[in-house]
Amino acid sequence: MPGAIAATRGGICVDFNRMNKILETHKEDMDVIVQPAANWQDLNAHLVDHDLFFPPAPSPGAKIGGTNAYRHGAIRQWVVSMTVVLADGTIVKTRRRPKKSSAGYDLTNLMVGPAGTLGLITEAVLKVTSVPKNIHVAIASFPTTHATTEPATGLVHSGLPIDAVELLDKHSMWAINQSGLSKKRWKENPTLFLRFSGLQPAVQAQVEIARAAAEQNQCENSEVSANKDKINVWWGTRKPIPNADTAVPISRLADIIEDTHRVIAKAGLAGWTLGHVGDGGFSNPFGDVLERRTIELEGTVTGEHGIGSKLRDRLVDEVGPEAVEMMKKVRKHFLSSDCLADGPAGPQIKQALDPGHILNPDKVIQFGEDY
């Protein structure tokens, strides 16, 4: 969507589709090694036999790399290390398999998310966790957007380990009914979708707290189920809806949704909004119109999908020219002929950002006396 794979200067396209294997599963260590085109749904189908689970849940059919981000974090939190091929063909292993390491710069996080601009990922070591138990899903509809976000915000502040907190506006619910994609006929009001898992007493307590929060905020209808078929229908309702991916602080989520509704109405168009409410994620089909407003609300123009070519000008608006210049230095040094002769990636980063070696010199990376 943001133009991350548009060929602006010709060249070749590297297709990783057939590099989709799960290479190793380490049950005792709770990690797996996968190739870049491994599908997260196929991965979880493989892991279930080991009583393991990979929590990040992007759109159906997506590759490694969602809705579970509220409790479990985004994909970045589940990547332990990667094997990366740099522009000159150098193969870099960003780190080893332990879950924590303070060895040198964090090359793994540097390589998560730059959309292939710094290197090509050929393998990844991913953390996994135990298969969730006692899964329950709750749905609750409300008369207004603000009434919907109030209990969601309260649940976030409560610290309850809820798996996911999703919001679909009234237009989304209308579209789902019209599409016939769901077996259930939905009330066409702003609706919260909540998912819980864990020990049975804990799940029951979370459900009751969520129910009370909803009832205190004008909830018009609510249902809870642990039935697998119902869960698949209810949660499957959320998944097919395409989206852009701005994000704002959760306290401003209702504001940006209402702003979006006004923009849609003024344009005389049909549109919808939805959100990963737990972490302030907000999706709509009118990203261009609302990007500046998102930044004004201290948000980001891309919570998940990346900058690509479409959002480059907005990046300056969001983080400032100084931060963009810093990013340019890192990328330029990664791709320069001098850098390609320098060897490992750690010195390249240090050289790009501190060429005079005045920042705590001779720590982490050892350079020669001529630097």
Side-chain angles (χ1 to χ4, degrees), residues 72-95:
H72 297 288
I75 182 72
R76 183 182 297 276
Q77 280 75 52
W78 293 86
V79 180
V80 176
S81 71
M82 292 184 289
T83 301
V84 182
V85 180
L86 302 182
D88 68 337
T90 301
I91 299 174
V92 175
K93 180 80 170 178
T94 59
R95 53 173 283 194

Side-chain angles (χ1 to χ4, degrees), residues 132 196 316 366:
F196 313 84
V316 179
Q366 177 63 53

Side-chain angles (χ1 to χ4, degrees), residues 14 59 75 95 109 111 129 238 254 258 275 280 315-316 331 357:
V14 180
S59 297
I75 182 72
R95 53 173 283 194
N109 269 314
M111 289 293 176
T129 189
R238 157 65 183 90
E258 295 291 357
L315 181 61
V316 179
R331 173 163 164 74
H357 295 269

Side-chain angles (χ1 to χ4, degrees), residues 101 106 109 204 298 352:
S101 172
D106 189 352
N109 269 314
Q204 290 298 334
E298 301 181 87

Side-chain angles (χ1 to χ4, degrees), residues 338-367:
D338 290 340
C339 163
L340 297 180
D342 282 347
Q348 299 169 15
I349 300 169
K350 172 69 173 173
Q351 181 67 10
L353 299 181
D354 181 23
H357 295 269
I358 62 173
L359 300 176
N360 204 13
D362 299 318
K363 312 304 189 298
V364 183
I365 301 296
Q366 177 63 53
F367 287 89

Side-chain angles (χ1 to χ4, degrees), residues 70 154-162:
Y70 169 58
L155 291 173
V156 170
H157 290 171
S158 73
L160 291 176
I162 300 173

